[in-house]
Every structure is written in C-alpha cells, then in structure tokens.
C-alpha cells in the first residue's frame, strides 16, 4: 500500500491548467523526485498537497486517509510537512525556537500553565528543548541554537527549515528545491543529510529539484512535469534517459 | 557561546524579565521616597496614576504591534470599554461591599468585557492585513467612543433601563437614578485608583505578557508574525493565536481603563481620552520604545509623558518641542543613514569592541525581536 | 424635497472628502505610507486664506493662490525632511510615527500663531444661492462651487495621470519603485511631485471645507483627514477613481446618516460602513486584491 496516493489532481488559474490530471504514488520510505522545467507546476503540486490551494478535481490520500481539500494545518497534523522554495523561517526567532514552533502540536501545555509557570510548563519546555536540540544536532545546527534564524548563512537556513518540518513528526516530507543556491560541497552534504534523515526517522521524502546530481544521486523514482502535465514517471535511471525528458529540458 | 544547553537560554530570558520587574519596583520606591520627603510637586503627584495607565496601555499594545505584528489604531477603544464597564459596576455596587473587593471585581470586569470586545472585533478585523487592519481598528475605536456617548443607562426599583436617545426616554421612576448619562458619562465613580495599585497592575500586566511571550503560545504568535504561511505549514492555528494575542492585549488595555475611570470623578468619552489620538499616542510609545521591546515601551511611556510636564516652563512651546523631539528621535533611530552614521561613530571610537549582532539571539536587527 | 437637498449637501461634502482622499491615495500609492499629516495641511490652507482674506482684507483670489503655493511647498518640505530619510527604514511604522510627529508639529505651530479659539472663516465664494422649485430647494453658492471644483479636479487629475509623462511616471513608481528607477524614471522627483500635488489639493479642500463649515481651529483638519483616509480605503487605497467614489459615497452617507438616523452617531455610521465594505471586499471597492505567492 502506498503512503501517498494522488489521483487525477487538477487545478486551473483563470483558464490556465497549472496542474492537469496529475497522479502519483509514493511508497513508505521512498525518496521520490519531482522534476521539470521552470513553470511546469511543481510547486503548485506541493501547494495542492499541503492545502495552500484546493484542487478543482482529484483525490489525495495519505496513509489510507482522504486529505483532499483539508486546510494546511489539518494536513500538517495528518502527516505532511514541507519546506519552501524561497526560504520561510521565523526570522526574528532563535534557531532553537524555530524548531520548537515545529514541535508545538506534539508538546502541549495550556496557556494558563504557560503564563503562571506551573510545573507542567517547565516539564514540557524541557522536553521540547531536548527534542529540538536533538534535531538541531542532526543538521549540525546545535551550536547556533541561540542565533537569530535571520543571521544564519543561507545553506544553514535551508537545513533549519528541514529540521523545523521534521519537528512536526510528519510521515511525508516535501522539500522544495532544497539545494537551490548551494555550492557543490554543500549539495553533497545535503544529500548525505537527506539520506540520513530517511534512515534515522524512517521518513518518506518527495522533493523538487533542478540539481541533476542530487536528483540522480538520491532519488529512487521520478516524475517529470511539463506544462502542468506528467511527461513521464518511473525509476530514476529510466526517466533520465528518456528522450522526451531531454527534449523538455533542452528544447528541440 | 561554547555550550548552548537549554538551561542557559531559559535563565537568560528569566534574567531579562527580572530586570524589567526590578526597574518598575525601583522606580516605585524612588517615587515613594520622593513623596515621603515632600520633593514632589502636586502636579507631578497627579501624574503618577496616569503614568501607570500609559505604561499599561503601551505594554499591552506592544503585544499586538510588536509580538503579533499587526498595527492597531484602536487601542483606546478597549481602554474605553474597560473604563465604562468597570465604572458602571462600581457605580452600581458602591456601598454594597468592601471598597477593595469592589475595585478588584471592577478590574476583573473591565478586563473581561474589554477582552470579549477584543474577540468580537478581532474575528472580522484579523482577516485583514496591514494598513487595512489599521484603519478598521481605528474605525472600531471611534465607533466605541461614539456609541458610549449616546448610551443612557438608569436604574430604579424596576431594575435597569437602557436608551440610545436621552435620559428622559429611560422613563425612570421617582426613585430612579441615571447611571450612564450619554455624553455626560458616569459621574461619581469612587476614587479607588492609587499609584501603588497602578504599579501592582503594571507588574501584573508585565507578568502576563512576558510569560506569554516566552511560552509555547508566545512562540506561535511570533511565528505567525514572522511568517504566516510557514506557521500554518507546521500546524499553527493562525486564527486562534491571533485572537489570543489581540484579546489579551485588549483585556489589559481594559484594566488600564478601569484604573483611569477610578482616578477621576467624572468619566466621559472624548476624542482626547478615548479617540484615535489616544491610540496613536500609545502607538508612539510602542514604536519609540522599540517594537516588540516590552521594557522599552515602559521607558518610552514614562519619558514621553513626563517630557511635556518637564517642559512646562516653556508653556506654549512645550507641545511644539514635543513634536520636534518626536520627529528627530524617529529620524535618528530609524533612518538607515543615521544608523550607518552611528555605527561608524561607534567603530571609530569604540573599536575593538564587537557589536555582537550575530552573537546572540536576543539582539534583533530590525527591532522586532523579543528583548 | 429635503432628501434632494441632503443629497446635494452630501455630494458637496463628499467632493471635499474626495479631493483630500485623492491626495491621500496618491501619496499612499507611491510612498506606501499613511500620511497622517495630510489632514493638517488642509488646516494650513484654511489659515493662509483666513489670514489673507479675513485678517488682511485682500481679495480672495490672492488667498487662494497663496494657500495653494504655500501648501505645495510645505508638502514638499515635509516629504524631503521628515519622510524621505525613512523611506528604506526597517519598519514601515517608523515613517507613520514621524507623520504623526509632523501632524503635531503643524497643529502646534498653528496654535502658537493663531491661538486655540475658533476663527470664523469668511467664505471665499461670492456666488448667490441657487433657488429651485419655487424656493423649496436652495443650494448655496459654496455647495455649487465645491461640487464644480471637485469635478474639475477629478477630470484634470485623471487626464494628468493617464495622458502626461509625469503622470505615467507616477503610476510606474507606485507599481514598482526599483523597476521604474531602472527605466530611467526620476523616482525621488516623482515622489516629490506627488506630495506637491497632494498638498495643493489639500489646500483647495481646506478652502472649500472652511467656506461651507466656517469655523477654523488648529485641529480643523484632523477629522476630515481621517475621514478622507477612510474614503480612500473605502474606494480601494492607491486607486484614483476609488478615492473619488469613496469620498463622494462617504459624504452622502454622513449627511444622510446625520439627517435620518442620528446626528450624534454620524461618525459611527461612516466608520461602520467602512468596516462592512472591507469585510465584503477586503481591498476596498476598486482595490486590487493581491494574494501572497507561496
């Protein structure tokens, strides 16, 4: 049984079919890539999967549960977390607090306990700090825990976004161009981190990426989008050798 | 910052909070000493309770503007709601219970009613963004002020009577009494407010706001401020937390209102005390003290309230000077050129000292962080 | 018949709001700031005319020219000294507070020069009232002049923005400052021009307002300023036709509200309508609703 099953997903913006009859099936533990030229509709697919947009048609099921049309926060609670193409951190919060916001729903205490500093506040905050530091260590960010997120270098900001997403304990992690703006060294490091995350957290990952080294290096299967439609789908090696894909990227 | 364990950070914010409380307490003791020694003019003495009121309002508005990140120009409206509900309660129950208990209840009622107004107004308003939200809060503030001016409530042996027209249409019996008399407002509110109570309420407001900010809910609120879409993506309920910040801010403003009402014998709603001018004045404290900087709000509220009084010798020119100082301070503190110039000055004369900007999370470049 | 008379008064008051709102909306569109001092420029215009016409007894034409000239220069000075240094400030609130400071400053200068007492303003209009329907409907000269000035200003401004190079530059700067600069538009000059036009309009509004409601204090401009801002938001802030529609609607609502519902609650009604409009159309009647891209 696949973890994520998408069927017939369609959305139009003012007559333009941004995503047309999209389907996707991702098995638990898979590292899956979504590629395609600029403007192909990849980020729109992410926005549909996370409830930013409501699809005109189609069904999305996660772990056998229909999540079509749910709100973003409900989808996050159902088990999808994401990062953003243009990094969206809580810039004025510390690195640690960014991750703690991700832990929000899993470590609750009441507003009253928070304001009046009842024992439960200290207990839960301690749990949160420990858990957040654990996550930061995975991404080698623990030494910057008290920095403002805005003051991190670019590559680390991308990592922090992944750490924050993981803090929500998702079943499926969506990464929108995680290697954008990274140099080859950082990209190589990121590949190791993604592999490590999959092993350690038993995570399923769907990522959008333009960096073919990363895609061919870690993705087990790919879907290629072009003009909102699926061009081809399958094992990474097969897809990348498909002449259609080469044409779509390089032109006729 | 060689070892960053969680304990270290917690104690750091706690320390910062303690300093804030300490500043308030020291200021209180200093004033008490001056009073005991007879070194304070009656004019200054009369300013003590208003000072507390402005501090409470500034601190509470900072929760909306600095922590939630929404510009509200209707804060005086919540103060108005608190003032009138608290004063109305006191007027109704005067003599039927001990003064202190009655005042305590009035404070709670003022806070609750203002908080409920915060929720009712927040539900539609918080859907809007930026300047639109600002103008709608201003509109709500003006509506509240306006409605209070046409509100008539009387009481006789039959119970309460309401009217929106005039006191005659209340149709009170001989034994009746007009409690809220339209534009004449409420007269004869007991004089319960004092500097000591004001300072205690400041400490309470600080306790609630600072602890809220440094808790799970506060983080969620600031996350929404910094990036709503990202906050939503990690499962933060935007509406809930926006409303929470807005209504707590309103409730505390309501407490300021109750304090205000019980400091005067006659309570009326005028443009000067509950109009948008008041809201703007409080906003000035918040911005000058540093957006999101709670301690700064306190200091700015005190200094800016005292400034016109200190300039009293200059009589007619004092408000003019106030305006010039305000403009000059804004230009010096916020103009990118002035900031650059100041930094160069610091580097030239204090070279060798690190600015430490990226060293710690507690320092914010844009002034929005929590201090 | 009284309804028609109220309606005409509403259009007249609305024209004044529209003229002020045009200044507000242009400045907002281009500088993305709420110019809280805009209302006080109205008051300055009123006092200039008062000094020249009522105190010195000079002809009204001179007063009008002087008021427009002084306000135009004042607007440009305010922009240059108080707003321009904060254009790239870290928080948009900085310039808002500065505008409030400028507002206090103008009010207090007027207070020093003219005192707090209400001045009775001599109308600059010398047209006799128009009697219609056998004297049952009387329209004052001020009303006629106000409505006609409103129409002329709106037409001229629309033509200016759409047909002239400077007007097009204004639209370009309000759309995208950076791109406009790259296209060789003088951004600073365009912003200064916008403030100049906005302040000139405020001067005109001040004269018209004081002619119809002949009492002048240092605080005269504040409430009409706020209401005109409401009108601008109402119509969709940044939109020139929006400001006109918003202003006129607001004037009509205010006068009809005063006449038929409650004179004490007229302001509350105006603000309540604004809230309702914004809840239905969050960007105002003619405003563009821009969604944040994820």
């Amino acid at each position: 049984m696949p973890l994520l099953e998408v069927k017939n997903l369609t959305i139009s913006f003012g007559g333009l079919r941004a995503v047309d009859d999209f389907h996707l099936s991702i098995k638990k533990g898979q590292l899956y890539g979504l590629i395609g030229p600029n403007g192909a509709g990849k980020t729109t697919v992410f926005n549909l999967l996370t409830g930013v947009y409501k699809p005109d048609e189609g069904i999305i099921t996660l772990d056998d549960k229909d999540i079509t049309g749910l709100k973003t926060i409900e989808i996050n609670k159902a088990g999808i977390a994401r990062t953003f193409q243009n990094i969206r951190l809580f810039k004025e919060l510390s690195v640690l607090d960014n991750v703690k916001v991700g832990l929000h729903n899993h470590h609750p205490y009441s507003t009253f306990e928070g304001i009046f500093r009842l024992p439960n506040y200290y207990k839960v905050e301690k749990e949160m700090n420990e858990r957040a530091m654990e996550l930061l260590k995975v991404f080698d960010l623990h030494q910057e825990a008290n920095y403002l997120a805005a003051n991190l270098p670019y590559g680390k900001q991308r990592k922090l976004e992944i750490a924050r997403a993981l803090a929500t304990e998702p079943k499926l992690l969506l990464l929108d161009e995680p290697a954008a703006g990274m140099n080859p060294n950082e990209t190589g490091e990121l590949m190791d981190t993604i592999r490590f995350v999959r092993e350690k957290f038993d995570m399923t990952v769907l990522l959008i990426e333009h960096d073919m080294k990363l895609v061919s290096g870690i993705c087990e299967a790919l879907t290629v989008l072009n003009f909102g439609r699926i061009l081809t789908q399958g094992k990474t090696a097969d897809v990348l050798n498909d002449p259609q894909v080469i044409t779509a990227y390089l032109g006729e | 910052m060689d070892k960053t364990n969680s304990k270290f950070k917690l104690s750091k914010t706690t320390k910062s909070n303690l300093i804030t409380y300490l500043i308030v307490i020291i200021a209180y003791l200093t004033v008490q000493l001056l009073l005991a020694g007879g070194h304070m003019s009656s004019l200054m003495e009369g300013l003590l309770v208003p000072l507390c009121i402005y501090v409470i309002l500034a601190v509470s508005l900072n929760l909306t503007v600095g922590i939630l990140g929404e510009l509200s120009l209707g804060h005086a409206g919540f103060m108005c709601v608190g003032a009138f509900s608290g004063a109305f309660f006191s007027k109704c129950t005067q003599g039927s219970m001990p003064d202190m208990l009655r005042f305590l209840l009035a404070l709670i009622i003022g806070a609750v009613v203002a908080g409920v107004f915060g929720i009712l107004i927040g539900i539609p308003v918080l859907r809007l963004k930026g300047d639109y939200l600002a103008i709608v809060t201003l509109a709500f503030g003006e509506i509240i002020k306006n409605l209070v001016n046409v509100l008539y409530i009387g009481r006789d042996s039959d119970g309460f009577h309401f009217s929106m027209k005039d006191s005659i249409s209340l149709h009170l019996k001989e034994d009746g009494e007009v409690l809220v008399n339209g534009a004449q407002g409420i007269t004869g509110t007991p004089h319960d407010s004092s500097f000591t109570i004001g300072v205690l309420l400041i400490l309470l407001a600080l306790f609630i706001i600072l602890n809220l900010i440094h808790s799970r809910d506060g983080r969620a609120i600031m996350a929404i401020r910094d990036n709503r879409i990202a906050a939503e993506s990690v499962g933060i309920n935007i509406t809930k937390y926006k409303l929470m910040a807005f209504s707590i801010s309103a409730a505390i403003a309501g407490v300021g209102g109750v304090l205000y009402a019980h400091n005067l014998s006659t309570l009326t709603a005028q443009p000067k005390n509950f109009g948008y001018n008041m809201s703007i004045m409080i906003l000035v404290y918040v911005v000058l003290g540093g957006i999101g900087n709670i301690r700064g709000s306190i200091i700015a509220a005190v200094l800016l309230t005292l400034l016109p009084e200190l300039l009293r010798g200059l009589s007619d020119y004092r408000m003019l000077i106030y305006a010039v100082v305000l403009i000059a301070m804004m230009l010096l503190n916020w103009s990118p050129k002035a900031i650059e110039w100041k930094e160069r000055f610091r580097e030239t004369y204090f070279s060798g000292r690190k600015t430490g900007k990226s060293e710690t999370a507690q320092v914010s470049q844009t002034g929005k962080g929590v201090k | 018949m009284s309804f028609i008379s109220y309606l005409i008064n509403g259009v007249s008051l609305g024209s004044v709001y529209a003229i002020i709102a045009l200044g507000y909306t242009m400045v907002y569109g281009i500088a993305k700031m709420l110019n809280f001092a805009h209302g006080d420029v109205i008051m300055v215009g009123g006092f200039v005319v008062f000094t020249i016409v009522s105190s010195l007894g000079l002809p009204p034409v001179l007063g009008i020219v002087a008021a427009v000239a002084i306000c135009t220069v004042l607007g440009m000075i305010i922009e240059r000294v108080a707003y321009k240094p904060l254009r790239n400030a870290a928080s948009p609130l900085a310039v808002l507070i500065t505008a409030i400071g400028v507002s206090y400053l103008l009010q207090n200068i007027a207070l020093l020069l003219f005192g707090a007492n209400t001045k009775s303003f001599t109308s600059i209009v010398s047209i006799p009232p128009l009697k219609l329907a056998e004297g049952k409907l009387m329209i004052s000269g001020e009303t006629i002049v106000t409505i006609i000035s409103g129409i002329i200003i709106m037409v001229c401004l629309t033509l200016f923005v759409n047909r002239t190079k400077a007007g097009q530059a204004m639209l370009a700067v309000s759309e995208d400052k950076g791109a406009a600069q790259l296209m060789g538009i003088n951004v600073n000059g365009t912003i200064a021009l916008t403030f100049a036009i906005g302040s000139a309009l405020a001067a005109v509004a001040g004269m018209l307002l004081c002619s119809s409601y002949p009492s002048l204090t240092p605080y005269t401009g504040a409430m009409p300023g706020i209401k005109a801002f409401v009108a601008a938001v109402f119509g969709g802030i940044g939109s020139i036709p929006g400001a006109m529609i918003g202003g006129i609607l607001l004037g009509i609502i205010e006068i009809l509200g005063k006449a038929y519902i409650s004179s004490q609650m007229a302001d509350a009604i105006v603000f309540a309508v604004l809230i309702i409009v914004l809840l239905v159309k969050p960007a105002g009647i003619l405003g563009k609703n821009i969604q944040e891209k994820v």
Side-chain angles (χ1 to χ4, degrees):
Chain A
M1 186 194 71
L3 178 76
L4 179 78
E5 180 91 70
V6 181
K7 280 182 188 148
N8 183 30
L9 198 66
T10 300
I11 188 167
S12 309
F13 296 114
L16 175 81
R17 291 209 154 195
V19 173
D20 191 5
D21 194 20
F22 182 84
H23 49 90
L24 183 65
S25 177
I26 302 180
K27 286 199 275 296
K28 192 166 179 353
Q30 216 171 5
L31 261 172
Y32 201 106
L34 180 60
I35 64 170
N38 284 324
K42 303 179 298 290
T43 297
T44 310
V45 168
F46 269 29
N47 285 341
L48 286 165
L49 291 179
T50 53
V52 175
Y53 301 141
K54 304 261 171 290
D56 297 337
E57 282 170 54
I59 299 170
I60 306 166
T61 42
L62 180 75
D63 220 1
D64 240 4
K65 188 180 167 229
D66 185 359
I67 58 164
T68 322
L70 292 187
K71 285 186 192 146
T72 304
I73 62 166
E74 288 159 348
I75 287 177
N76 178 260
K77 283 177 186 167
I80 300 184
R82 72 176 289 185
T83 66
F84 297 87
Q85 195 177 335
N86 46 340
I87 304 174
R88 289 177 174 275
L89 287 174
F90 308 127
K91 288 190 177 166
E92 301 287 328
L93 297 187
S94 69
V95 168
L96 183 74
D97 280 350
N98 265 271
V99 178
K100 281 166 87 178
V101 173
L103 294 169
H104 187 90
N105 287 327
H106 296 281
H107 297 263
Y109 56 82
S110 71
T111 308
F112 187 82
E113 285 169 322
I115 289 178
F116 292 95
R117 298 282 141 110
L118 301 186
N120 198 31
Y121 162 84
Y122 291 102
K123 186 177 144 256
V124 177
E125 280 288 318
K126 190 161 168 275
E127 282 168 23
M128 283 175 122
N129 283 333
E130 285 164 5
R131 178 86 185 110
M133 286 310 282
E134 241 176 77
L135 275 165
L136 287 178
K137 269 198 192 106
V138 170
F139 292 90
D140 197 24
L141 286 165
H142 54 289
Q143 282 179 343
E144 287 97 338
N146 281 348
Y147 280 37
L148 276 193
N151 291 342
L152 282 183
Y154 186 80
K156 293 201 164 183
Q157 291 197 4
R158 286 229 170 263
K159 284 182 173 177
L160 176 58
E161 244 199 338
I162 303 176
R164 183 183 68 189
L166 282 175
T168 68
E169 297 180 19
K171 293 170 184 156
L172 173 67
L173 182 63
L174 309 184
L175 304 177
D176 199 343
E177 297 196 25
M182 286 189 179
N183 64 33
N185 272 341
E186 288 173 320
T187 306
E189 219 181 278
L190 179 74
M191 285 163 70
D192 294 339
T193 314
I194 294 174
R195 279 199 206 97
F196 178 77
V197 164
R198 197 242 309 245
E199 300 307 320
K200 178 160 163 86
F201 298 94
D202 201 14
M203 190 58 56
T204 313
V205 181
L206 170 63
L207 59 89
I208 294 175
E209 192 46 71
H210 283 298
D211 189 319
M212 281 307 148
K213 192 176 137 240
L214 186 142
V215 170
S216 56
I218 62 171
C219 292
E220 286 137 9
L222 293 178
T223 289
V224 186
L225 268 185
N226 198 19
F227 298 114
R229 299 187 69 97
I230 292 176
L231 198 64
T232 179
Q233 227 165 11
K235 285 206 180 99
T236 303
D238 301 345
V239 169
L240 290 182
N241 290 324
D242 190 323
Q244 280 188 80
V245 176
I246 296 161
T247 321
Y249 265 93
L250 301 176
E252 298 286 335
Chain B
M1 206 170 286
D2 45 3
K3 204 177 174 208
T4 34
N5 62 39
S6 49
K7 205 82 187 167
F8 170 68
K9 198 192 167 243
L10 245 171
S11 69
K12 193 170 178 183
T13 59
T14 316
K15 211 165 98 190
S16 164
N17 292 356
L18 285 178
I19 291 173
T20 310
Y21 297 132
L22 214 65
I23 289 174
V24 175
I25 293 166
I26 290 171
Y28 172 74
L29 293 175
T30 314
V31 168
Q32 289 299 347
L33 277 177
L34 286 173
L35 279 173
H39 295 300
M40 197 169 269
S41 68
S42 62
L43 202 93
M44 278 302 220
E45 229 183 299
L47 263 182
L48 291 176
V49 177
L51 262 179
C52 297
I53 295 164
Y54 294 141
V55 168
I56 290 172
L57 285 167
V59 166
S60 62
L61 183 63
N62 210 339
L63 180 57
T64 300
V65 175
I67 307 303
L68 178 62
E70 299 290 4
L71 176 57
S72 166
L73 297 177
H75 210 52
F78 297 122
M79 180 192 174
C80 180
V81 169
F84 273 85
S85 51
F88 178 71
F89 173 79
S90 285
K91 189 101 178 71
C92 291
T93 53
Q94 206 168 2
S96 64
M97 58 177 94
D99 281 0
M100 262 299 128
L101 176 67
R102 193 205 54 239
F103 188 45
L104 186 68
L105 286 175
L107 285 166
I108 293 170
I109 285 171
V112 169
V113 176
V116 169
F117 267 74
I119 293 173
L120 292 178
I121 292 173
I123 289 170
V125 162
L126 292 171
R127 287 171 39 200
L128 300 168
K129 286 189 196 117
D131 297 323
Y132 289 93
L133 188 141
I135 195 69
V136 169
T137 50
L138 184 149
F140 267 113
E142 289 298 296
I143 291 175
I144 289 172
K145 185 197 78 194
N146 215 313
L147 287 183
V148 166
N149 269 311
V150 294
L151 181 68
Y152 295 85
I153 303 175
R155 181 174 58 174
D156 60 17
S157 46
D158 289 348
F160 289 105
H161 298 256
F162 297 88
S163 168
M164 300 286 273
K165 226 174 115 215
D166 49 40
S167 53
I168 300 154
S169 41
L170 288 173
H171 302 300
L172 292 176
K173 287 189 188 164
E174 295 266 310
D175 62 333
E177 183 196 9
V178 181
L179 297 169
V180 183
N181 192 11
Q184 270 91 53
I186 300 178
T187 42
T189 319
H191 198 288
D192 292 330
S193 297
S194 68
F195 182 53
T196 306
I197 290 177
V199 170
L200 285 174
L201 290 175
I202 291 176
L203 290 173
L204 180 68
L206 283 176
F207 180 81
I208 291 174
I209 291 173
L210 290 174
N211 283 353
L212 177 76
I213 294 173
H214 298 290
S215 78
R216 173 177 170 270
D217 296 325
R219 274 195 301 271
I221 293 165
M222 291 186 285
I224 294 168
R225 170 196 71 191
D226 283 358
N227 203 312
R228 184 183 60 83
I229 287 164
E232 229 170 350
S233 85
V234 294
I236 303 293
N237 186 338
I238 307 291
T239 318
K240 176 183 160 186
Y241 286 105
K242 274 188 169 183
L243 273 180
M244 180 190 284
F246 198 66
S247 59
I248 291 177
S249 164
I252 296 173
V255 169
V258 178
L259 195 63
Y260 177 84
H262 291 76
N263 191 42
L264 304 161
S265 48
T266 306
L267 177 69
T268 55
Q270 290 157 349
K272 216 171 57 192
N273 57 0
F274 296 135
Y276 68 90
N277 279 315
M278 178 60 124
S279 303
I280 285 172
M281 205 176 81
I282 303 161
L283 182 68
V284 169
Y285 302 152
V286 171
V287 176
L288 270 181
I291 302 161
N293 185 339
I294 302 293
R295 198 190 300 159
S297 292
I298 304 175
I299 296 166
V302 172
L303 287 183
L304 285 186
T305 312
L306 291 181
L307 182 66
E309 297 307 321
L310 295 175
L311 295 172
R312 196 162 273 275
L314 299 162
S315 62
D316 290 346
Y317 292 91
R318 66 195 180 106
M319 285 313 289
L320 194 71
I321 293 170
Y322 178 89
V324 173
V325 169
L326 182 59
I327 297 170
M329 277 167 85
M330 289 315 293
L331 290 176
L332 280 178
N333 284 336
W334 289 90
S335 147
K337 270 218 180 93
I339 293 170
E340 196 188 310
W341 185 82
K342 269 192 284 186
E343 229 141 73
R344 222 182 300 143
F345 180 83
R346 205 173 295 155
E347 264 166 40
T348 325
Y349 294 96
F350 302 94
S351 55
R353 251 183 69 187
K354 269 190 204 164
T355 45
K357 208 158 237 176
S358 59
E359 293 285 315
T360 147
Q362 304 306 106
V363 178
S364 143
Q365 279 174 322
T366 60
K368 251 164 56 181
V370 188
K371 284 176 195 163
Chain C
M1 210 44 89
S2 61
F3 176 75
I4 293 175
S5 144
Y6 289 137
L7 200 63
I8 291 171
N9 284 339
V11 173
S12 168
L13 179 63
S15 302
V16 176
Y17 286 156
I19 295 170
I20 311 170
L22 283 170
Y24 245 121
T25 223
M26 286 168 68
V27 165
Y28 184 90
I30 215 152
K32 300 282 174 290
M33 65 164 288
L34 302 183
N35 183 9
F36 259 96
H38 193 67
D40 301 290
V41 178
I42 301 170
M43 173 271 297
V44 172
F47 270 110
V48 172
V49 176
F50 173 80
T51 311
I52 291 176
V53 181
S54 306
S55 304
L56 301 175
L58 295 169
V61 180
L62 205 64
I64 295 169
V65 173
V68 171
I70 289 174
C71 287
T72 306
V73 174
L74 179 68
M76 289 170 80
I77 292 174
I78 293 173
E79 196 273 331
R80 182 65 193 81
V81 175
Y83 301 160
K84 193 171 167 228
L86 292 171
R87 205 175 288 156
N88 297 316
S91 165
L93 280 180
V95 73
L96 179 82
I97 303 294
T98 313
I100 291 165
V102 172
S103 167
Y104 286 167
L105 185 70
L106 294 179
Q107 288 176 6
N108 284 293
I109 290 174
L111 198 63
L112 274 180
L113 293 177
F114 299 98
N117 294 339
T118 306
K119 302 273 177 299
S120 74
F121 188 90
T122 324
S123 173
I124 51 166
V125 177
S126 48
I127 299 172
L130 190 67
K131 289 193 180 109
L132 289 174
E134 294 151 15
K136 276 187 206 153
L137 184 67
M138 201 165 81
I139 308 169
S140 70
E142 283 81 10
T143 308
I144 298 168
V145 171
T146 304
I147 293 173
I148 292 173
S149 325
I151 293 168
I152 293 173
I153 286 173
M154 289 174 209
V155 170
C156 290
L157 204 62
T158 311
L159 287 177
F160 170 76
V161 169
N162 293 324
R163 297 282 167 81
T164 65
K165 236 180 170 171
Q168 292 290 304
M170 240 174 226
L171 287 182
V173 175
S174 71
E175 197 78 26
D176 188 333
K177 229 175 274 171
Q181 184 123 43
L182 290 176
M183 294 292 124
I185 292 172
N186 179 352
V187 172
N188 284 334
T190 306
I191 294 179
L193 178 67
T194 310
F195 271 87
I197 294 175
S199 308
L201 293 179
V204 175
M207 293 178 247
L208 295 171
L209 190 73
C210 294
S211 294
S212 298
Y213 302 86
S215 63
L216 187 58
T217 74
Y219 310 106
T220 294
M223 202 54 184
I226 290 286
K227 291 229 188 92
F229 176 52
V230 167
V233 174
F234 198 71
I237 195 150
S239 151
I240 288 176
M244 299 176 190
I245 296 172
I248 290 174
L249 279 179
L250 202 73
I252 295 173
I253 293 166
E254 183 174 333
I255 297 285
L256 292 184
K258 248 182 202 154
Y260 292 107
I261 303 175
S262 156
S263 61
Q264 286 165 305
M265 283 172 53
D267 287 353
I269 294 164
V270 166
F271 288 120
V273 171
L274 167 84
I275 291 167
I276 293 165
V277 167
L278 282 190
L279 291 182
V280 179
K281 290 209 66 168
I285 299 171
L286 295 180
K288 278 178 281 183
N289 205 355
I290 300 159
Q291 275 221 310
E292 195 177 351
K293 203 167 178 267
V294 181

